[in-house]
């Protein structure tokens, strides 16, 4: 009777242990599935972040190129304007000297 009770108790403990083991195996399997799902999400987020960085880099590059083109065009326009002003001033100065020389020659007379 004691032996039967002892065997019954052992069998009961063994079944409880088997149930706990099965429950733990189920929890481990669930945890693995969750880890795989999180890994998949992490891969997606990493790929998205890389794409965003690449796009932002391209946008920044395009913006810098546009700004440089605008600067270059403005610079060329300014240089062209300066050259036109220099040409006008040179013409004005030449004309002014020419007129002053004529007046000077008229007032003083030619030395030749």
């Amino acid at each position: 009777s004691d032996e039967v009770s002892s065997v019954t108790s052992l069998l009961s403990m063994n079944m409880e242990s088997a149930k706990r083991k099965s429950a733990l195996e189920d929890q481990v399997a669930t945890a693995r599935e969750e880890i795989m799902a999180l890994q998949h999400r992490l891969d997606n987020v990493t790929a998205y972040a890389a794409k965003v960085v690449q796009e932002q880099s391209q946008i920044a590059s395009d913006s810098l190129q546009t700004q440089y083109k605008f600067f270059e065009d403005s610079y060329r326009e300014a240089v062209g304007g300066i050259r036109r002003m220099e040409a006008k001033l040179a013409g004005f100065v030449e004309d002014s000297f020419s007129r002053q020389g004529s007046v000077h020659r008229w007032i003083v007379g030619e030395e030749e």
Side-chain angles (χ1 to χ4, degrees), residues 16-47:
E16 284 297 315
S17 178
K19 283 180 186 175
R20 279 193 301 247
K21 182 181 175 194
S22 177
L24 285 173
E25 286 172 346
D26 288 347
Q27 288 176 349
V28 167
T30 301
R32 281 190 177 132
E33 289 172 6
E34 289 174 0
I35 288 171
M36 293 298 287
L38 288 172
Q39 184 64 51
H40 183 68
R41 285 175 61 191
L42 179 61
D43 292 345
N44 287 344
V45 167
T46 302

mmCIF file of all heavy atoms in Angstrom, residues 16-47:
data_model
loop_
_atom_site.group_PDB
_atom_site.id
_atom_site.type_symbol
_atom_site.label_atom_id
_atom_site.label_comp_id
_atom_site.label_asym_id
_atom_site.label_seq_id
_atom_site.Cartn_x
_atom_site.Cartn_y
_atom_site.Cartn_z
ATOM 1 N N GLU A 16 3.494 15.707 -13.759
ATOM 2 C CA GLU A 16 3.573 17.159 -13.535
ATOM 3 C C GLU A 16 4.842 17.723 -14.171
ATOM 4 O O GLU A 16 4.821 18.766 -14.819
ATOM 5 C CB GLU A 16 3.545 17.487 -12.032
ATOM 6 C CG GLU A 16 2.177 17.366 -11.392
ATOM 7 C CD GLU A 16 1.178 18.350 -11.990
ATOM 8 O OE1 GLU A 16 1.522 19.542 -12.174
ATOM 9 O OE2 GLU A 16 0.046 17.930 -12.287
ATOM 10 N N SER A 17 5.937 16.994 -13.994
ATOM 11 C CA SER A 17 7.215 17.407 -14.572
ATOM 12 C C SER A 17 7.125 17.428 -16.096
ATOM 13 O O SER A 17 7.615 18.353 -16.736
ATOM 14 C CB SER A 17 8.308 16.451 -14.105
ATOM 15 O OG SER A 17 9.541 16.797 -14.668
ATOM 16 N N ALA A 18 6.483 16.412 -16.642
ATOM 17 C CA ALA A 18 6.317 16.352 -18.095
ATOM 18 C C ALA A 18 5.438 17.509 -18.574
ATOM 19 O O ALA A 18 5.721 18.128 -19.616
ATOM 20 C CB ALA A 18 5.715 15.012 -18.506
ATOM 21 N N LYS A 19 4.391 17.824 -17.827
ATOM 22 C CA LYS A 19 3.529 18.953 -18.190
ATOM 23 C C LYS A 19 4.306 20.268 -18.140
ATOM 24 O O LYS A 19 4.186 21.113 -19.038
ATOM 25 C CB LYS A 19 2.326 19.041 -17.235
ATOM 26 C CG LYS A 19 1.243 18.032 -17.503
ATOM 27 C CD LYS A 19 0.103 18.216 -16.512
ATOM 28 C CE LYS A 19 -0.929 17.133 -16.657
ATOM 29 N NZ LYS A 19 -1.986 17.238 -15.625
ATOM 30 N N ARG A 20 5.113 20.437 -17.060
ATOM 31 C CA ARG A 20 5.917 21.666 -16.940
ATOM 32 C C ARG A 20 6.924 21.764 -18.084
ATOM 33 O O ARG A 20 7.123 22.828 -18.650
ATOM 34 C CB ARG A 20 6.641 21.700 -15.588
ATOM 35 C CG ARG A 20 5.747 22.182 -14.454
ATOM 36 C CD ARG A 20 6.584 22.485 -13.235
ATOM 37 N NE ARG A 20 7.291 21.279 -12.829
ATOM 38 C CZ ARG A 20 7.070 20.608 -11.691
ATOM 39 N NH1 ARG A 20 6.198 21.046 -10.834
ATOM 40 N NH2 ARG A 20 7.742 19.513 -11.414
ATOM 41 N N LYS A 21 7.541 20.611 -18.409
ATOM 42 C CA LYS A 21 8.514 20.574 -19.501
ATOM 43 C C LYS A 21 7.827 20.956 -20.813
ATOM 44 O O LYS A 21 8.355 21.752 -21.594
ATOM 45 C CB LYS A 21 9.145 19.186 -19.616
ATOM 46 C CG LYS A 21 10.187 19.091 -20.704
ATOM 47 C CD LYS A 21 10.760 17.696 -20.808
ATOM 48 C CE LYS A 21 11.719 17.624 -21.986
ATOM 49 N NZ LYS A 21 12.062 16.281 -22.367
ATOM 50 N N SER A 22 6.664 20.417 -21.061
ATOM 51 C CA SER A 22 5.913 20.722 -22.276
ATOM 52 C C SER A 22 5.544 22.208 -22.322
ATOM 53 O O SER A 22 5.664 22.862 -23.357
ATOM 54 C CB SER A 22 4.663 19.856 -22.344
ATOM 55 O OG SER A 22 3.896 20.197 -23.474
ATOM 56 N N ALA A 23 5.111 22.729 -21.174
ATOM 57 C CA ALA A 23 4.743 24.150 -21.096
ATOM 58 C C ALA A 23 5.978 25.020 -21.361
ATOM 59 O O ALA A 23 5.898 26.013 -22.089
ATOM 60 C CB ALA A 23 4.134 24.475 -19.733
ATOM 61 N N LEU A 24 7.131 24.646 -20.785
ATOM 62 C CA LEU A 24 8.369 25.399 -21.014
ATOM 63 C C LEU A 24 8.789 25.314 -22.482
ATOM 64 O O LEU A 24 9.227 26.307 -23.063
ATOM 65 C CB LEU A 24 9.492 24.874 -20.112
ATOM 66 C CG LEU A 24 9.394 25.268 -18.634
ATOM 67 C CD1 LEU A 24 10.470 24.554 -17.831
ATOM 68 C CD2 LEU A 24 9.529 26.775 -18.463
ATOM 69 N N GLU A 25 8.651 24.146 -23.082
ATOM 70 C CA GLU A 25 8.986 23.991 -24.502
ATOM 71 C C GLU A 25 8.094 24.883 -25.357
ATOM 72 O O GLU A 25 8.556 25.497 -26.321
ATOM 73 C CB GLU A 25 8.877 22.525 -24.928
ATOM 74 C CG GLU A 25 10.016 21.672 -24.411
ATOM 75 C CD GLU A 25 9.811 20.178 -24.667
ATOM 76 O OE1 GLU A 25 8.675 19.777 -25.009
ATOM 77 O OE2 GLU A 25 10.791 19.441 -24.518
ATOM 78 N N ASP A 26 6.796 24.967 -24.994
ATOM 79 C CA ASP A 26 5.879 25.849 -25.712
ATOM 80 C C ASP A 26 6.302 27.317 -25.558
ATOM 81 O O ASP A 26 6.276 28.083 -26.531
ATOM 82 C CB ASP A 26 4.443 25.676 -25.194
ATOM 83 C CG ASP A 26 3.817 24.342 -25.616
ATOM 84 O OD1 ASP A 26 4.404 23.680 -26.503
ATOM 85 O OD2 ASP A 26 2.763 23.989 -25.068
ATOM 86 N N GLN A 27 6.689 27.700 -24.338
ATOM 87 C CA GLN A 27 7.141 29.074 -24.096
ATOM 88 C C GLN A 27 8.411 29.383 -24.891
ATOM 89 O O GLN A 27 8.541 30.474 -25.461
ATOM 90 C CB GLN A 27 7.398 29.301 -22.595
ATOM 91 C CG GLN A 27 6.128 29.364 -21.771
ATOM 92 C CD GLN A 27 6.426 29.492 -20.283
ATOM 93 O OE1 GLN A 27 7.555 29.328 -19.843
ATOM 94 N NE2 GLN A 27 5.388 29.791 -19.508
ATOM 95 N N VAL A 28 9.347 28.409 -24.943
ATOM 96 C CA VAL A 28 10.583 28.596 -25.703
ATOM 97 C C VAL A 28 10.257 28.747 -27.188
ATOM 98 O O VAL A 28 10.809 29.626 -27.874
ATOM 99 C CB VAL A 28 11.574 27.431 -25.451
ATOM 100 C CG1 VAL A 28 12.704 27.432 -26.463
ATOM 101 C CG2 VAL A 28 12.125 27.503 -24.039
ATOM 102 N N ALA A 29 9.349 27.909 -27.687
ATOM 103 C CA ALA A 29 8.965 27.991 -29.098
ATOM 104 C C ALA A 29 8.327 29.354 -29.401
ATOM 105 O O ALA A 29 8.644 29.997 -30.419
ATOM 106 C CB ALA A 29 8.014 26.852 -29.458
ATOM 107 N N THR A 30 7.450 29.811 -28.514
ATOM 108 C CA THR A 30 6.810 31.119 -28.682
ATOM 109 C C THR A 30 7.861 32.234 -28.647
ATOM 110 O O THR A 30 7.826 33.163 -29.474
ATOM 111 C CB THR A 30 5.751 31.350 -27.580
ATOM 112 O OG1 THR A 30 4.768 30.309 -27.665
ATOM 113 C CG2 THR A 30 5.074 32.700 -27.720
ATOM 114 N N ALA A 31 8.792 32.136 -27.695
ATOM 115 C CA ALA A 31 9.843 33.139 -27.588
ATOM 116 C C ALA A 31 10.694 33.164 -28.861
ATOM 117 O O ALA A 31 11.060 34.236 -29.356
ATOM 118 C CB ALA A 31 10.727 32.873 -26.365
ATOM 119 N N ARG A 32 10.996 31.999 -29.420
ATOM 120 C CA ARG A 32 11.778 31.937 -30.668
ATOM 121 C C ARG A 32 11.020 32.603 -31.812
ATOM 122 O O ARG A 32 11.616 33.337 -32.611
ATOM 123 C CB ARG A 32 12.099 30.483 -31.024
ATOM 124 C CG ARG A 32 13.242 29.919 -30.235
ATOM 125 C CD ARG A 32 13.692 28.573 -30.774
ATOM 126 N NE ARG A 32 14.834 28.101 -30.014
ATOM 127 C CZ ARG A 32 14.953 26.886 -29.524
ATOM 128 N NH1 ARG A 32 14.021 25.982 -29.743
ATOM 129 N NH2 ARG A 32 16.033 26.546 -28.855
ATOM 130 N N GLU A 33 9.713 32.335 -31.884
ATOM 131 C CA GLU A 33 8.902 32.975 -32.928
ATOM 132 C C GLU A 33 8.913 34.498 -32.774
ATOM 133 O O GLU A 33 9.030 35.229 -33.756
ATOM 134 C CB GLU A 33 7.459 32.454 -32.874
ATOM 135 C CG GLU A 33 7.309 31.020 -33.345
ATOM 136 C CD GLU A 33 5.911 30.463 -33.109
ATOM 137 O OE1 GLU A 33 5.021 31.233 -32.676
ATOM 138 O OE2 GLU A 33 5.715 29.258 -33.352
ATOM 139 N N GLU A 34 8.788 34.959 -31.517
ATOM 140 C CA GLU A 34 8.804 36.400 -31.265
ATOM 141 C C GLU A 34 10.167 36.994 -31.634
ATOM 142 O O GLU A 34 10.230 38.090 -32.211
ATOM 143 C CB GLU A 34 8.468 36.688 -29.804
ATOM 144 C CG GLU A 34 7.003 36.424 -29.472
ATOM 145 C CD GLU A 34 6.692 36.578 -27.993
ATOM 146 O OE1 GLU A 34 7.607 36.894 -27.202
ATOM 147 O OE2 GLU A 34 5.515 36.392 -27.624
ATOM 148 N N ILE A 35 11.244 36.275 -31.308
ATOM 149 C CA ILE A 35 12.589 36.742 -31.649
ATOM 150 C C ILE A 35 12.740 36.830 -33.163
ATOM 151 O O ILE A 35 13.281 37.811 -33.688
ATOM 152 C CB ILE A 35 13.674 35.825 -31.031
ATOM 153 C CG1 ILE A 35 13.725 36.046 -29.518
ATOM 154 C CG2 ILE A 35 15.030 36.075 -31.660
ATOM 155 C CD1 ILE A 35 14.592 35.036 -28.781
ATOM 156 N N MET A 36 12.259 35.830 -33.877
ATOM 157 C CA MET A 36 12.347 35.849 -35.340
ATOM 158 C C MET A 36 11.541 37.028 -35.917
ATOM 159 O O MET A 36 11.998 37.699 -36.840
ATOM 160 C CB MET A 36 11.844 34.521 -35.927
ATOM 161 C CG MET A 36 12.723 33.321 -35.602
ATOM 162 S SD MET A 36 14.395 33.464 -36.252
ATOM 163 C CE MET A 36 14.078 33.218 -37.981
ATOM 164 N N ALA A 37 10.350 37.252 -35.350
ATOM 165 C CA ALA A 37 9.518 38.380 -35.815
ATOM 166 C C ALA A 37 10.225 39.700 -35.541
ATOM 167 O O ALA A 37 10.245 40.596 -36.406
ATOM 168 C CB ALA A 37 8.150 38.344 -35.134
ATOM 169 N N LEU A 38 10.825 39.839 -34.353
ATOM 170 C CA LEU A 38 11.553 41.065 -34.022
ATOM 171 C C LEU A 38 12.777 41.230 -34.927
ATOM 172 O O LEU A 38 13.081 42.349 -35.360
ATOM 173 C CB LEU A 38 11.994 41.053 -32.552
ATOM 174 C CG LEU A 38 10.869 41.252 -31.528
ATOM 175 C CD1 LEU A 38 11.402 41.025 -30.119
ATOM 176 C CD2 LEU A 38 10.266 42.650 -31.648
ATOM 177 N N GLN A 39 13.469 40.130 -35.216
ATOM 178 C CA GLN A 39 14.628 40.192 -36.112
ATOM 179 C C GLN A 39 14.191 40.660 -37.497
ATOM 180 O O GLN A 39 14.847 41.480 -38.118
ATOM 181 C CB GLN A 39 15.309 38.820 -36.199
ATOM 182 C CG GLN A 39 16.576 38.807 -37.038
ATOM 183 C CD GLN A 39 17.682 39.677 -36.464
ATOM 184 O OE1 GLN A 39 18.004 39.563 -35.299
ATOM 185 N NE2 GLN A 39 18.236 40.554 -37.279
ATOM 186 N N HIS A 40 13.053 40.149 -37.961
ATOM 187 C CA HIS A 40 12.515 40.548 -39.264
ATOM 188 C C HIS A 40 12.189 42.043 -39.268
ATOM 189 O O HIS A 40 12.528 42.768 -40.207
ATOM 190 C CB HIS A 40 11.276 39.710 -39.587
ATOM 191 C CG HIS A 40 10.694 39.985 -40.928
ATOM 192 N ND1 HIS A 40 11.335 39.667 -42.101
ATOM 193 C CD2 HIS A 40 9.520 40.575 -41.291
ATOM 194 C CE1 HIS A 40 10.600 40.041 -43.124
ATOM 195 N NE2 HIS A 40 9.492 40.602 -42.664
ATOM 196 N N ARG A 41 11.539 42.514 -38.183
ATOM 197 C CA ARG A 41 11.215 43.939 -38.083
ATOM 198 C C ARG A 41 12.483 44.782 -38.031
ATOM 199 O O ARG A 41 12.557 45.845 -38.656
ATOM 200 C CB ARG A 41 10.359 44.202 -36.837
ATOM 201 C CG ARG A 41 8.909 43.748 -37.013
ATOM 202 C CD ARG A 41 8.091 43.898 -35.768
ATOM 203 N NE ARG A 41 8.004 45.288 -35.333
ATOM 204 C CZ ARG A 41 7.516 45.656 -34.153
ATOM 205 N NH1 ARG A 41 7.077 44.762 -33.302
ATOM 206 N NH2 ARG A 41 7.465 46.929 -33.825
ATOM 207 N N LEU A 42 13.482 44.309 -37.284
ATOM 208 C CA LEU A 42 14.748 45.031 -37.191
ATOM 209 C C LEU A 42 15.413 45.122 -38.565
ATOM 210 O O LEU A 42 15.926 46.180 -38.945
ATOM 211 C CB LEU A 42 15.684 44.341 -36.189
ATOM 212 C CG LEU A 42 17.062 44.973 -35.998
ATOM 213 C CD1 LEU A 42 16.932 46.397 -35.480
ATOM 214 C CD2 LEU A 42 17.911 44.139 -35.065
ATOM 215 N N ASP A 43 15.394 44.018 -39.313
ATOM 216 C CA ASP A 43 15.950 44.025 -40.674
ATOM 217 C C ASP A 43 15.218 45.048 -41.548
ATOM 218 O O ASP A 43 15.854 45.794 -42.305
ATOM 219 C CB ASP A 43 15.861 42.631 -41.312
ATOM 220 C CG ASP A 43 16.784 41.622 -40.645
ATOM 221 O OD1 ASP A 43 17.694 42.032 -39.888
ATOM 222 O OD2 ASP A 43 16.587 40.413 -40.872
ATOM 223 N N ASN A 44 13.895 45.072 -41.436
ATOM 224 C CA ASN A 44 13.098 46.028 -42.219
ATOM 225 C C ASN A 44 13.428 47.474 -41.836
ATOM 226 O O ASN A 44 13.586 48.328 -42.702
ATOM 227 C CB ASN A 44 11.603 45.774 -42.030
ATOM 228 C CG ASN A 44 11.134 44.524 -42.744
ATOM 229 O OD1 ASN A 44 11.822 43.991 -43.603
ATOM 230 N ND2 ASN A 44 9.961 44.052 -42.373
ATOM 231 N N VAL A 45 13.518 47.730 -40.526
ATOM 232 C CA VAL A 45 13.821 49.084 -40.052
ATOM 233 C C VAL A 45 15.221 49.494 -40.503
ATOM 234 O O VAL A 45 15.437 50.627 -40.944
ATOM 235 C CB VAL A 45 13.690 49.161 -38.509
ATOM 236 C CG1 VAL A 45 14.296 50.443 -37.962
ATOM 237 C CG2 VAL A 45 12.230 49.056 -38.102
ATOM 238 N N THR A 46 16.175 48.568 -40.420
ATOM 239 C CA THR A 46 17.546 48.860 -40.843
ATOM 240 C C THR A 46 17.593 49.174 -42.334
ATOM 241 O O THR A 46 18.243 50.139 -42.750
ATOM 242 C CB THR A 46 18.470 47.660 -40.522
ATOM 243 O OG1 THR A 46 18.404 47.396 -39.114
ATOM 244 C CG2 THR A 46 19.894 47.946 -40.904
ATOM 245 N N ALA A 47 16.892 48.388 -43.120
ATOM 246 C CA ALA A 47 16.848 48.631 -44.564
ATOM 247 C C ALA A 47 16.187 49.978 -44.848
ATOM 248 O O ALA A 47 16.657 50.747 -45.701
ATOM 249 C CB ALA A 47 16.090 47.512 -45.271
#
